[in-house]
Amino acid sequence: MRLAGKIALITGSGSGIGKAAALLFAQEGATVIVNDLDAQKGEETVQEIVGMGSKGIFIQADVTDPASVQAMVEQTIAAFGHIDVLFNNAGISGVGALHEVEPDVWDRVMSVNIRGVYLPSKYALPHMMQRKSGSIINMSSCIAEIGLAKRASYSATKGAVLALTKSMQVDYAPYDIRVNALLPGTILTPFVENYLNNSYENPEAAIESLKKRQLSGELGRPEDVAKAALFLASDESKLMMGSPLYIDGGVVFGKNA
Ligand SMILES: NC(=O)c1ccc[n+]([C@@H]2O[C@H](COP(=O)([O-])OP(=O)(O)OC[C@H]3O[C@@H](n4cnc5c(N)ncnc54)[C@H](O)[C@@H]3O)[C@@H](O)[C@H]2O)c1
């Protein structure tokens, strides 16, 4: 019970990494506020949490919309009194070299992946500051550190999230709030499956080439990242402040040839 009694809000937790984190956090004693744009997927996550005998509720909100994000935070405070953990996980992919990306696609990727970190933090932080306590986990990616083909818009957002994490940490350290970033490598989720199916003629061959750029041999699973998020959410990581945590099978620091 590493999160016993904690209140945790996880954006985009109807699928993939967010869902795995919601289930793990709940199993470890947290009450989880499952957020997603997709109500069906979000409700399914909560059903699984409740089915395990743990606690969770679903709140539908678009992380890019100030009014709905503010309402989500206020609903959480009204129901549970405070927020201990905010996991800014929701995100979308952006495919293409820079000249191939249309302006509306660029803007949507920026909006979900950066504004979607800014808004939930903006509305949750005053409550954390009042209690002088909190852990914020921002979803970056190993692409913030290395160049990868045809991911211009996406890489720009994940680099921004890493830079934002460090500045947030400086501003909120006086309030005993920790802000850290997760930098996963390729994790097999619906997000990556869509990307592979839409970007490659032979998705199976693409998976093999993705494996080659890692040292681990296998691609990551959502549960691998959820465990890292659990560490950042818990008091066990109390000395981690403004840090990137890599869960990438050696992509950033290893070289496979
Ligand atoms: N899968 C990977 O390989 C990988 C690697 C590094 C980083 N990430 C990041 O991890 C996060 C989760 O990715 P995933 O692979 O689990 O993806 P996923 O597509 O499986 O899940 C993302 C969830 O976010 C929700 N969402 C999208 N836009 C939203 C919005 N505007 N408001 C609220 N919810 C919204 C989706 O409905 C979906 O349920 C993303 O930020 C992604 O960039 C993923």
Side-chain angles (χ1 to χ4, degrees), residues 52-144:
M52 303 184 312
S54 303
K55 292 184 216 140
I57 63 162
F58 172 65
I59 303 180
Q60 186 179 25
D62 180 339
V63 292
T64 69
D65 177 55
S68 58
V69 173
Q70 188 172 17
M72 170 173 72
V73 169
E74 294 313 323
Q75 191 182 331
T76 302
I77 297 298
F80 305 109
H82 65 274
I83 299 171
D84 295 295
V85 178
L86 170 63
F87 182 8
N88 287 312
N89 164 77
I92 57 173
S93 70
V95 179
L98 190 140
H99 73 280
E100 298 164 341
V101 182
E102 295 305 325
D104 60 330
V105 173
W106 178 273
D107 289 346
R108 182 69 189 154
V109 177
M110 295 296 138
S111 187
V112 177
N113 293 4
I114 306 178
R115 192 175 161 93
V117 171
Y118 154 66
L119 285 174
S121 305
K122 173 177 171 53
Y123 293 113
L125 270 161
H127 299 285
M128 291 181 169
M129 290 161 75
Q130 204 176 9
R131 293 183 80 231
K132 289 200 85 182
S133 170
S135 174
I136 297 180
I137 304 160
N138 291 334
M139 183 57 92
S140 178
S141 162
C142 72
I143 205 170

Side-chain angles (χ1 to χ4, degrees), residues 15 17 36-37 61-63 89 91 139 154 158 185 187 189 191-192:
S15 172
I17 296 166
D36 210 285
L37 195 53
D62 180 339
V63 292
N89 164 77
M139 183 57 92
Y154 184 71
K158 295 304 181 180
I187 311 296
T189 66
F191 170 103
V192 165

Side-chain angles (χ1 to χ4, degrees), residues 12 35 47 51 55 58 60 106 133 157 161 171 181 189-190 194 238 245 256:
N35 155 262
Q47 276 168 19
K55 292 184 216 140
F58 172 65
Q60 186 179 25
W106 178 273
S133 170
T157 65
V161 169
D171 287 337
T189 66
N194 288 342
K238 67 179 192 254
L245 181 55
N256 217 352

